Amino acid sequence: MVTLLIISIILFVSYIGYTVGMYGIPASISDTYYRLGKRGWLFTLFCLAESSLLIASFIEASKEEYQFLAFIASASLAFVGSAPLFKEDYNRNIHYVSAGICALASLVWQVLMSFWYVPLITFLGGVIVLACLKFRKPVFWMEMCAFISTYITLLLLY
């Protein structure tokens, strides 16, 4: 399962690196859907691939009583990618609620797995980055912190 986790990290870095390199820092990771234009389907593919790659590692690394949070976080990420048009009324609620559930389930999972300090340190680092950037694009940087803290926790568990 470590291999799937490593592939997930490589995919994450590649996707974020590509979109930021081509279009600059977006308002949010989801905003890359619109920035990619006709290739917006890459955002959906990214979310579905990340969800699929992470779920096995997430569940295997989890204590049995917290595996449901790993499933919920991963499944919610798939819903985010399946409803990429967050600026449109018919996708907005699905997208935002799924993103919120994904972040919350992942954060609660980290705390219950006794790695509460990882998101704490990561988010404090994110606040420092935001302060240096004069608080521009806060959603993007907090999303980055959420992914990074989850990856760090999973790596520490393996």
Side-chain angles (χ1 to χ4, degrees):
M1 297 305 160
V2 175
T3 304
L4 294 177
L5 178 60
I6 300 300
I7 293 169
S8 173
I9 293 170
I10 291 168
L11 174 63
F12 181 79
V13 170
S14 299
Y15 180 81
I16 298 299
Y18 172 76
T19 55
V20 168
M22 292 295 290
Y23 307 104
I25 297 173
S28 67
I29 295 172
S30 298
D31 195 47
T32 62
Y33 173 84
Y34 292 100
R35 288 183 176 221
L36 287 165
K38 292 181 180 180
R39 292 174 300 159
W41 57 269
L42 288 171
F43 171 76
T44 298
L45 183 62
F46 164 73
C47 289
L48 295 175
E50 283 294 323
S51 174
S52 299
L53 290 166
L54 277 173
I55 195 164
S57 302
F58 225 153
I59 289 175
E60 183 180 71
S62 300
K63 294 177 183 173
E64 189 173 341
E65 60 269 26
Y66 305 133
Q67 287 179 343
F68 75 98
L69 289 167
F71 176 80
I72 289 170
S74 298
S76 295
L77 182 57
F79 276 98
V80 169
S82 299
L85 301 171
F86 67 93
K87 294 180 181 178
E88 307 296 327
D89 287 338
Y90 59 93
N91 268 197
R92 181 177 295 125
N93 291 340
I94 295 169
H95 187 90
Y96 285 131
V97 169
S98 297
I101 291 171
C102 179
L104 184 62
S106 177
L107 180 62
V108 170
W109 175 82
Q110 290 174 77
V111 170
L112 292 175
M113 291 292 293
S114 301
F115 285 88
W116 56 269
Y117 55 90
V118 175
L120 177 66
I121 293 168
T122 307
F123 282 93
L124 285 175
V127 169
I128 292 168
V129 168
L130 278 170
C132 292
L133 297 173
K134 299 181 181 173
F135 295 94
R136 292 191 328 250
K137 317 277 176 128
V139 173
F140 174 79
W141 292 109
M142 290 298 104
E143 289 173 336
M144 292 297 291
C145 289
F147 272 100
I148 290 168
S149 70
T150 302
Y151 283 133
I152 290 170
T153 300
L154 283 166
L155 288 169
L156 289 172
L157 284 165
Y158 283 106

